[in-house]
Amino acid sequence: MPTMNIIQAVNDALRIQMRADDRVVILGEDVGKFGGVFRATSGLYDEFGPDRCIDTPLSEAGIIGTAIGMALYGLRPVPEIQFADFIFPAFDQIVNELAKFRYRSGGQYPCPVVIRTPYGGGIRGGHYHSQSPEAHFIHTPGLKVVIPSNPVDAKGLLLSCMRQNDPVLFMEPKRVYRAARGDVPADDYTVPLEKAAVVREGTQCTVVAYGAMVHECTAAADKAAEQGISIEVIDLRTLLPFDIDTLLASVKKTGRAVIVHEAPKTCGFGAELVASIQERAMEHLEAPILRVAGLDTPFPYTLEHEYLPNADRVVDAVRKTLEW
Amino acid sequence: MRRVLSDDGTVLPGAKVPDISDDDLVALFDSMLLVRVMDERMMRLQRQGRLGFYMTSIGEEATHYAVYPLRPTDWVFPSYREQGAFFWRGYSIQNYIDQLYGNANDPVKGRQMPVHHSARWLNIVSISSPVGTQIPQAVGAGWAARIAGKDDVSMVFFGEGTSSTGEFHVGMNFAGVSKAPVVFVCRNNGWAISTSREKQTAAKTFASKAVGYGMPGIRVDGNDILAVIQVAQEAVDRARAGDGPTLIEACTYRRGAHSSSDDPSVYRDAREPEEWARRDPVNRFRNYLKERGLWTEQAERDILDKHNEAIAKVQRESDRTGPPPLESLFEDVYETIPWHLREQRDWLLSQPRVKSPHQH
Ligand SMILES: Cc1ncc(C[n+]2csc(CCOP(=O)(O)OP(=O)(O)O)c2C)c(N)n1
């Protein structure tokens, strides 16, 4: 089994699907000959040519708008937004158009577009190269939002996304793009959407995360174990629609929960998870569900590690729920 | 500015008349009359409180027939003022009125305001309320056709106000660069709600904007159906031959209100629409047909009777058709209904029914 990082896994998934289905086209800024600024589309231009791996003019609304038209016509576009921070010029095309095409046409026009975009902080990127805008899109009926945390999932989830018929925002945690390495099957396989993974079993508190934060949470589980505390870590993988069953099963077992994400806390996705668990499992809870999140400030440059959640803050929150 | 007919419908000296069969000429006139009759009747229904909203295209009907040179496999991305494009491609009176009512037979299942039609079976894409969003989408469809090795063409309609949106510039630029087979039809009808054409751009013409994107820009008399069809034919041929996109500025005038919610007397001189009525596209085309011996008073009366009766009949049926089923609210959000929507559906179905405060 080859060892890959997340970028290589993404690249592998794209290549497999482009070979399997000649309707798949990639489009975006610098995705062609250059292979993307993170090299995620590397080699695809050489193999599939400029009509299937398309360098577009610089406009996010244009990339998503044309991808929509391509999908309506019958192609399976996989556009790349170079950084999630630059997705907002395309916000209307995504939220009002892409996500709603099937519904507003009365089911006549499915619109299978998979938007890939790197997101997240911890890479000295400052405000415009670090944001985690997932909540804007999780609030959008009609869209699916998927975030892998490791190479095996990145490949399998992306293949699943490209093989179903709803629009997806596939957000890639660029902080662990290269750091998260692992053995990845070389062949074609999928990881199911809408299914979370229990990445660490534990008994005393459930910790829910996705993307780069999963790694902070497993580190937290290690630290907590040294202190004799057993944490169960759940990697959500699909954020919309999320896997409520796995969450509830875990919370019913542990009686406690901490939600971790690097996006700002207020109105973040954590609030939704807290509410959803609380509505269904109040009687199983031994303590309030806590959130460890990014600050409600714009994303900073120099002090980004103060801004971001980390393993110690997660352990601290877990202790608070245990001591409540 | 390209013209074939004079204001009174005679062929201008030296003008080349597009090659259209007699049958098609009569069919085009028939379709134009349907748009006119439909607009008048639906506006009346709206005033009676039986339709929530309506938009007319009175005086601009000729521009809709830019779709005439298209094949059924070509794609149309309309805005909300191209009823004739729908009818010409085969959208029925029944489809049209059911959509306005948003009833159980509405092709879009009662999910959108009136005049937001969608007809995949005719390769006409859903009308969107945010103006301009359809422009890059149309470019994508044309581009996709080329990638798929087909020679289909994509035609997109929008008003001159919409040419100020980012999406217009993005779409024009993407099309220019990719040489996508796209025909941009800008209906310059003088007004964007209450904003006049002069406040929309400092450019002398909208067609001139094509220069910056590396494509031809052609101005045409938008009240002259023959000229509209002629320039559209040239643009479609160009696109199909792989020579890239064209911007057409169809110069016309919005004689009615922007929509049923608008009152143009607040912002414009009433003499303006009266002047434009003298260049009415229906009258001009009628005079042309008369000269060609293709029109009689009786024939027009028969067409009008046919349309009026058909509309009245459909309207009675559509009136009686109930709303879409409640469960349909949860369909088509995704291909299959996820757990959270099933949960919300089951909850909604268990609740007492809410009576609509709307009459329609
Ligand atoms: C993005 C957006 N902004 C504002 C509106 C509200 N609005 C609806 S139609 C319209 C004017 C459009 O004018 P134009 O493009 O010239 O088309 P016309 O109505 O004249 O056919 C406006 C401002 C809208 N629908 N979409």
Side-chain angles (χ1 to χ4, degrees):
Chain A
M1 228 188 276
T3 301
M4 292 186 195
N5 61 32
I6 292 180
I7 298 171
Q8 291 164 326
V10 164
N11 185 261
D12 198 30
L14 293 170
R15 181 176 290 101
I16 286 174
Q17 192 59 11
M18 286 179 91
R19 284 181 184 162
D21 183 349
D22 60 15
R23 297 170 302 169
V24 176
V25 292
I26 286 170
L27 66 157
E29 295 155 13
D30 311 305
V31 299
K33 232 187 180 84
F34 181 52
V37 294
F38 288 104
R39 324 293 301 141
T41 56
S42 184
L44 301 177
Y45 178 92
D46 289 339
E47 180 171 350
F48 301 102
D51 265 358
R52 294 194 57 206
C53 190
I54 305 167
D55 277 325
T56 65
L58 202 167
S59 166
E60 286 67 26
I63 292 165
I64 303 304
T66 45
I68 291 170
M70 288 176 176
L72 297 175
Y73 188 82
L75 299 185
R76 315 265 320 184
V78 187
E80 175 180 294
I81 298 294
Q82 204 161 66
F83 287 86
D85 311 71
F86 307 136
I87 206 165
F88 294 104
F91 197 63
D92 183 50
Q93 285 286 353
I94 296 171
V95 169
N96 262 333
E97 301 292 312
L98 177 61
K100 304 302 192 299
F101 243 108
R102 185 193 287 280
Y103 199 72
R104 71 193 176 85
S105 66
Q108 295 183 77
Y109 280 109
C111 204
V113 172
V114 179
I115 305 170
R116 291 182 38 252
T117 190
Y119 84 100
I123 51 112
R124 299 185 60 75
H127 176 65
Y128 291 113
H129 297 84
S130 304
Q131 293 173 82
S132 299
E134 65 271 18
H136 296 284
F137 300 98
I138 299 166
H139 199 57
T140 298
L143 206 58
K144 291 180 181 173
V145 179
V146 175
I147 299 185
S149 68
N150 62 69
V152 179
D153 281 356
K155 177 173 170 180
L157 288 169
L158 184 52
L159 282 166
S160 288
C161 291
M162 293 188 286
R163 290 171 184 177
Q164 53 86 64
N165 296 320
D166 291 314
V168 184
L169 179 62
F170 190 83
M171 298 174 65
E172 298 165 6
K174 62 178 172 297
R175 177 182 179 180
V176 292
Y177 247 165
R178 291 196 168 77
R181 297 181 64 82
D183 291 342
V184 177
D187 54 346
D188 185 340
Y189 68 93
T190 57
V191 170
L193 300 181
E194 301 168 44
K195 285 268 173 291
V198 180
V199 295
R200 188 69 67 88
E201 295 210 25
T203 55
Q204 287 176 281
C205 182
T206 300
V207 173
V208 186
Y210 48 90
M213 287 299 112
V214 172
H215 301 278
E216 291 298 328
C217 293
T218 50
D222 291 340
K223 289 193 172 195
E226 288 164 18
Q227 302 169 30
I229 300 169
S230 168
I231 292 179
E232 177 144 305
V233 180
I234 292 179
D235 179 355
L236 265 185
R237 304 197 289 199
T238 299
L239 280 60
L240 182 70
F242 62 90
D243 179 0
I244 187 74
D245 294 335
T246 299
L247 288 186
L248 290 180
S250 179
V251 169
K252 284 177 186 173
K253 182 172 81 175
T254 64
R256 293 177 171 81
V258 170
I259 317 288
V260 184
H261 60 61
E262 57 178 286
K265 186 173 188 177
T266 298
C267 260
F269 185 46
E272 178 57 44
L273 295 177
V274 171
S276 294
I277 295 169
Q278 181 271 126
E279 280 171 357
R280 291 170 183 78
M282 186 68 187
E283 71 277 20
H284 297 274
L285 290 171
E286 305 287 345
I289 303 171
L290 297 185
R291 288 173 289 167
V292 181
L295 305 176
D296 286 335
T297 69
F299 196 98
Y301 178 61
T302 306
L303 297 176
E304 67 174 333
H305 287 92
E306 289 294 339
Y307 174 98
L308 288 165
N310 59 36
D312 289 332
R313 292 183 194 174
V314 175
V315 174
D316 195 47
V318 169
R319 294 195 73 93
K320 272 206 188 99
T321 69
L322 285 167
E323 288 158 12
W324 192 77
Chain B
M1 178 151 66
R2 189 80 68 84
R3 303 180 86 199
V4 174
L5 299 176
S6 69
D7 283 357
D8 57 17
T10 53
V11 177
L12 289 163
K16 192 179 147 286
V17 177
D19 186 21
I20 303 172
S21 71
D22 289 355
D23 284 352
D24 272 8
L25 286 170
V26 173
L28 285 163
F29 187 63
D30 181 304
S31 178
M32 260 177 133
L33 288 178
L34 172 58
V35 174
R36 185 64 63 91
V37 170
M38 185 68 87
D39 273 356
E40 286 165 0
R41 293 190 62 129
M42 294 305 112
M43 201 60 187
R44 232 177 301 143
L45 277 194
Q46 200 282 332
R47 291 304 183 226
Q48 292 163 8
R50 291 164 69 194
L51 282 185
F53 178 80
Y54 195 69
M55 298 179 100
T56 69
S57 63
I58 291 170
E60 308 178 48
E61 295 92 339
T63 61
H64 306 177
Y65 299 95
V67 298
Y68 176 81
L70 296 178
R71 299 173 183 162
T73 50
D74 292 327
W75 284 54
V76 177
F77 287 73
S79 83
Y80 43 72
R81 232 185 274 285
E82 286 88 23
Q83 298 89 318
F86 277 85
F87 292 137
W88 186 253
R89 284 174 82 86
Y91 201 65
S92 69
I93 293 176
Q94 175 92 45
N95 296 148
Y96 191 86
I97 295 180
D98 282 331
Q99 198 286 325
L100 300 181
Y101 277 91
N103 65 23
N105 294 330
D106 171 6
V108 302
K109 305 187 186 175
R111 291 178 184 156
Q112 294 224 70
M113 279 172 78
V115 309
H116 288 59
H117 305 275
S118 177
R120 192 182 186 188
W121 68 99
L122 303 171
N123 284 329
I124 308 182
V125 177
S126 310
I127 295 169
S128 175
S129 284
V131 302
T133 52
Q134 75 277 24
I135 299 175
Q137 294 167 9
V139 177
W143 199 339
R146 221 196 38 213
I147 292 168
K150 306 260 181 61
D151 67 352
D152 296 336
V153 169
S154 183
M155 182 177 281
V156 56
F157 290 86
F158 50 91
E160 87 289 347
T162 299
S163 75
S164 300
T165 64
E167 256 108 335
F168 167 80
H169 299 282
V170 164
M172 293 282 288
N173 193 43
F174 271 53
V177 168
S178 65
K179 284 198 154 205
V182 186
V183 180
F184 298 87
V185 183
C186 174
R187 279 181 301 91
N188 175 3
N189 64 11
W191 294 90
I193 310 187
S194 68
T195 307
S196 67
R197 175 234 169 281
E198 290 73 28
K199 287 188 182 161
Q200 212 64 246
T201 180
K204 277 214 174 64
T205 71
F206 290 92
S208 68
K209 299 192 176 206
V211 177
Y213 300 106
M215 69 178 83
I218 299 172
R219 291 188 97 205
V220 61
D221 181 340
N223 287 19
D224 175 348
I225 187 170
L226 298 183
V228 168
I229 288 174
Q230 187 173 71
V231 299
Q233 180 77 59
E234 289 165 12
V236 169
D237 290 347
R238 228 179 85 76
R240 211 179 308 282
D243 295 333
T246 304
L247 170 63
I248 295 172
E249 175 185 353
C251 301
T252 181
Y253 186 80
R254 192 197 81 209
R255 271 158 50 200
H258 170 72
S259 73
S260 53
S261 316
D262 172 49
D263 173 11
S265 72
V266 176
Y267 55 81
R268 75 181 182 191
D269 189 331
R271 274 173 310 200
E272 216 177 84
E274 278 163 29
E275 269 162 37
W276 275 88
R278 280 194 258 124
R279 272 169 270 176
D280 183 69
V282 178
N283 291 341
R284 280 165 80 174
F285 194 34
R286 178 191 295 113
N287 290 344
Y288 172 75
L289 294 178
K290 213 191 287 185
E291 249 173 44
R292 298 242 342 216
L294 295 171
W295 181 91
T296 62
E297 211 174 316
Q298 186 56 45
E300 177 160 344
R301 228 179 296 128
D302 290 346
I303 293 172
L304 289 175
D305 286 349
K306 175 184 75 175
H307 291 330
N308 276 311
E309 274 166 36
I311 291 170
K313 181 168 169 287
V314 166
Q315 189 198 313
R316 278 193 302 273
E317 282 169 27
S318 301
D319 254 335
R320 279 197 305 266
T321 307
L326 193 56
E327 308 87 272
S328 74
L329 264 181
F330 301 90
E331 293 162 5
D332 309 315
V333 183
Y334 299 96
E335 187 170 43
T336 54
I337 306 179
W339 68 269
H340 68 297
L341 288 178
R342 282 200 307 272
E343 198 177 90
Q344 290 176 23
R345 177 192 62 195
D346 296 346
W347 167 81
L348 186 67
L349 290 172
S350 76
Q351 294 298 300
R353 296 279 63 81
V354 181
K355 207 175 135 18
S356 171
H358 307 293
Q359 293 172 7
H360 37 81

